[in-house]
Amino acid sequence: MSSYGSRSAAEVVVHPDKDSLAAAVAARLVVRVLDAQVRRGRASVVLTGGTVGTQVLRDVAASPASRAVDWSRVDLWWGDERFVAADDGDRNAVQARGAVLDALAQQGLREEAVHVMPASDGPDGDDPEAAATRYAAELAAAAREEGVGGVVPVFDVLMLGVGPDGHVASLFPGHPSLEAGQEVGHEVIAVHDSPKPPPTRLSLTLPVIASAEEVWLVVGGADKADAVAEALAGPGPLPASLVSGTARTLWLLDREAASSL
Ligand SMILES: O=C1O[C@H](COP(=O)(O)O)[C@@H](O)[C@H](O)[C@H]1O
């Protein structure tokens, strides 16, 4: 057990390959968004970058079922971002825009509901700490608007990729940004000297991830198999082992990523 709020037990679903994994997650996401809109009138989703994460978005955009969603009542957030220029192809948001956001805008998604993390040429310039504070303020404003009483809005689904080293969002194992105390009082942190390029990033913190109703870890590929097995064995040094949703924690894998289980 981690100390990050109430936890739901991990459920594992294995799909034959990356393509079917992405298609199944996209279908699940559309249904989850529809259900949230029925239940509370709106939906809020935290997106992930990464290979499968971006494929999921493409599949959502292509899915006929996504036309049943009222995209004007959906907010999109990011779990992490690479702190580079706004038009840099390394940015998760740039990849997502090409994959889906432009298509969903045609279906009603509002530009102001796409909550992109600030870039290094944004309003705070090359100051990732100020950019992290700015994104935290945007989260807090959304929470106030929803009247939920917390510092972040309700996240119906928060998706995460997992790196071969067991990182999630831009939280890397053994990195100083995860040392005790670093996250206290911060919803969003600046990460310097990331072991995976680019070196400067912004990330939601573990307590914020744990506030989501459902956390989905979407993982494909044999290079992730050992990290998946270690994380599912129980809380430990891997950030992936420390995340869970309040209502549901889903590990959505392809056969290769599940091969060490
Ligand atoms: O750097 C990142 O990596 C992870 C995993 O990406 P993948 O391509 O190995 O699936 C991703 O979830 C994260 O958003 C991204 O910034």
Side-chain angles (χ1 to χ4, degrees):
M1 288 277 287
S2 89
S3 55
Y4 298 110
S6 64
R7 287 179 63 105
S8 52
E11 297 168 62
V12 179
V13 181
V14 182
H15 296 280
D17 51 40
K18 270 188 198 166
D19 285 347
S20 53
L21 168 65
V25 175
R28 207 181 259 285
L29 186 60
V30 168
V31 171
R32 177 78 182 138
V33 166
L34 284 167
D35 282 349
Q37 289 187 333
V38 168
R39 197 165 38 95
R40 62 186 199 94
R42 54 184 308 107
S44 193
V45 175
V46 181
L47 304 177
T48 177
T51 34
V52 184
T54 307
Q55 181 63 40
V56 167
L57 296 182
R58 266 191 221 105
D59 289 353
V60 167
S63 147
S66 99
R67 289 188 209 111
V69 169
D70 179 352
W71 287 101
S72 70
R73 292 187 292 122
V74 176
D75 278 274
L76 299 177
W77 300 88
W78 263 267
D80 76 317
E81 188 53 279
R82 291 93 185 268
F83 195 62
V84 290
D87 61 354
D88 192 313
D90 254 348
R91 272 174 68 81
N92 292 333
V94 169
Q95 293 166 22
R97 199 165 282 285
V100 71
L101 299 182
D102 293 343
L104 293 185
Q106 313 276 328
Q107 294 179 45
L109 182 67
R110 293 167 306 124
E111 184 64 34
E112 62 273 23
V114 180
H115 303 275
V116 169
M117 285 184 168
S120 62
D121 55 355
D124 302 300
D126 200 11
D127 181 346
E129 274 72 22
T133 302
R134 180 178 294 277
Y135 202 64
E138 194 169 334
L139 288 162
R144 272 196 305 278
E145 206 177 295
E146 278 186 11
V148 291
V151 286
V152 296
V154 171
F155 297 133
D156 298 287
V157 183
L158 183 149
M159 290 187 288
L160 295 169
V162 176
D165 58 355
H167 82 263
V168 290
S170 282
L171 304 173
F172 293 89
H175 192 272
S177 60
L178 274 181
E179 273 167 20
Q182 293 289 309
E183 295 189 341
V184 174
H186 294 284
E187 286 71 50
V188 188
I189 53 168
V191 176
H192 297 273
D193 300 320
S194 155
K196 177 178 175 182
T200 312
R201 290 154 171 258
L202 302 177
S203 184
L204 298 186
T205 56
L206 288 173
V208 170
I209 292 171
S211 75
E213 286 190 0
E214 297 202 3
V215 169
W216 299 358
L217 297 108
V218 183
V219 200
D223 57 328
K224 317 281 177 80
D226 289 348
V228 166
E230 186 179 336
L232 277 167
L238 300 191
S241 73
L242 302 175
V243 295
S244 59
T246 58
R248 200 166 194 201
T249 308
L250 273 179
W251 283 75
L252 302 165
L253 311 175
D254 73 358
R255 220 174 255 150
E256 287 187 347
S259 59
S260 296
L261 293 179

